[in-house]
Amino acid sequence: YQSKSGHQAYALYQPELNQFSVERLSLMTELRSAIENQQLQLYFQPKVDLQQQSVIGVEALIRWFHPELGFIPPDEFIPLAEQTGAVRDLTHYAIAEALKYQQQWWDQGHKLNVAVNISALDLVDMHLPEYVSELYKNNALSPEQLTLEVTESSVMNDPDTAIVALQRLRDMGITLSIDDFGTGYSSMAQLKKMPVQELKIDRTFVMDMVTNDEDQVMVKTLISLAQNLGMSTVAEGIEEEQALTLLTNYGCNKAQGYFIGKPMSADDLAEWLAPPCDWLKTP
Ligand code: C2E
Ligand code: MG
Ligand code: MG
Ligand code: MG
């Protein structure tokens, strides 16, 4: 059999690849309606202050509960949403939802900061700062209680653009955090120019640090780098008590991880926050 174009014939030998893109494409069309159909839900992971031994905030982590496909992890659909630009709507939605829950916690006496993850594309979304200030305008909270987390690779891809965008958000009082730090390729010259207040040490360094000396060295080095730049440090991925102890001794400021609390629904968080929560400091 001789096909008219070599190209077509080649495609015939790649049925899985083709189907995969079709699936991905339909997943993307569904993502927009998923927001409207309330298939997307924010989970919240506690963030604690190691020196004060108290819970100071939560990180919002998005979950997609698809009616047919079941749970789709963010690592699978966020990259697609970034490719199509849908991530901007998703970010707006995540910030609005996070604020809605944050108001409830404050009403209940839990003065929690809320952190929302944003993508590189959000940094070039000219509507984002205005959207956030509108959201906060009509309620008792202010953007000072909001943290935006952006990955190291997102900001370092185009540092000059990132600095301008981050500064605009910083001027509103938002706390800025560099996520997954240590896995990208940071230019130290650019890092020191970034208007960021927080550095999150990637969990790959934290997860095995109790038994791995090199990881310990990395963690200590990243903490002292952040300290010297006047940034606070968050360690993510704490799965055991010894890691928590080491990090506290190293002077790490904040921590997150399964050992402290897993990402959970707002209802479960309310339960987690209720006494006798280990990390509860009564205001
Ligand atoms: P991230 O922001 O670095 O979030 C931390 C990830 O580590 C989360 O995965 C969390 O569930 C997981 N984690 C927390 N503690 C531990 C631990 O002790 N051990 C281990 N092994 N893992 C832990 P998740 O929820 O699957 O999110 C993955 C990534 O997806 C996030 O990484 C973030 O980059 C992205 N993401 C999640 N929600 C959003 C969102 O609303 N918008 C955007 N743009 N990205 C999001
Ligand atoms: Mg994060
Ligand atoms: Mg306000
Ligand atoms: Mg991270």
Side-chain angles (χ1 to χ4, degrees):
Y1 174 73
Q2 191 74 36
S3 91
K4 272 185 201 150
S5 91
H7 215 84
Q8 263 175 358
Y10 179 74
L12 284 175
Y13 290 104
Q14 306 269 327
E16 298 99 335
L17 189 76
N18 225 358
Q19 210 204 322
F20 184 53
S21 353
V22 169
E23 257 171 34
R24 284 172 23 137
L25 205 65
S26 70
L27 206 56
M28 276 336 300
T29 9
E30 282 183 58
L31 181 57
R32 289 186 192 270
S33 57
I35 298 181
E36 283 148 39
N37 300 333
Q38 298 179 351
Q39 292 169 15
L40 297 183
Q41 207 183 318
L42 288 188
Y43 269 37
F44 300 98
Q45 184 177 39
K47 191 182 211 173
V48 300
D49 185 297
L50 287 175
Q51 317 301 323
Q52 293 174 29
Q53 299 274 307
S54 66
V55 56
I56 47 164
V58 291
E59 176 178 3
L61 293 157
I62 207 146
R63 302 287 177 254
W64 187 356
F65 298 100
H66 190 285
E68 280 104 43
L69 301 173
F71 171 66
I72 310 170
D75 282 334
E76 272 176 41
F77 67 88
I78 297 284
L80 299 182
E82 283 170 344
Q83 280 172 32
T84 61
V87 76
R88 294 177 181 198
D89 291 342
L90 196 139
T91 297
H92 289 201
Y93 173 77
I95 297 174
E97 280 285 297
L99 174 58
K100 193 184 83 188
Y101 286 110
Q102 189 181 27
Q103 274 176 279
Q104 296 173 13
W105 302 320
W106 279 63
D107 289 344
Q108 292 153 7
H110 299 298
K111 307 222 176 326
L112 300 175
N113 178 285
V114 70
V116 176
N117 292 283
I118 63 167
S119 302
L121 263 189
D122 295 312
L123 291 177
V124 290
D125 174 2
M126 289 304 137
H127 303 297
L128 185 65
E130 194 193 327
Y131 179 79
V132 175
S133 62
E134 281 299 313
L135 271 183
Y136 276 86
K137 204 181 256 175
N138 302 314
N139 72 71
L141 298 176
S142 80
E144 257 114 62
Q145 280 92 39
L146 174 70
T147 297
L148 293 177
E149 298 187 4
V150 60
T151 62
E152 181 188 15
S153 37
S154 295
V155 290
M156 289 303 168
N157 185 42
D158 181 357
D160 294 330
T161 305
I163 289 169
V164 174
L166 291 172
Q167 189 61 56
R168 204 172 290 136
L169 296 164
R170 181 60 195 151
D171 289 342
M172 295 167 57
I174 298 169
T175 300
L176 300 170
S177 178
I178 299 194
D179 209 346
D180 302 345
F181 193 81
T183 57
Y185 301 93
S186 267
S187 139
M188 293 301 133
Q190 296 290 1
L191 182 65
K192 80 168 191 222
K193 284 196 257 165
M194 293 279 165
V196 296
Q197 294 71 53
E198 187 181 271
L199 203 147
K200 292 188 86 167
I201 302 168
D202 190 71
R203 67 168 186 260
T204 53
F205 302 112
V206 178
M207 275 164 56
D208 302 319
M209 65 177 284
V210 173
T211 50
N212 186 315
D213 291 346
E214 279 109 25
D215 285 346
Q216 275 183 35
V217 170
M218 281 305 299
V219 167
K220 278 194 246 184
T221 306
L222 292 173
I223 291 171
S224 93
L225 172 70
Q227 280 172 347
N228 288 319
L229 291 171
M231 301 177 192
S232 77
T233 41
V234 187
E236 57 176 28
I238 287 146
E239 296 189 351
E240 51 189 332
E241 188 161 20
Q242 293 99 307
L244 201 67
T245 311
L246 283 176
L247 288 159
T248 310
N249 294 341
Y250 296 163
C252 183
N253 302 106
K254 301 165 232 173
Q256 284 176 263
Y258 294 168
F259 178 74
I260 300 161
K262 290 195 172 178
M264 50 194 134
S265 69
D267 284 348
D268 288 344
L269 180 74
E271 234 167 88
W272 188 89
L273 284 168
C277 170
D278 290 343
W279 298 93
L280 198 60
K281 228 186 199 166
T282 32

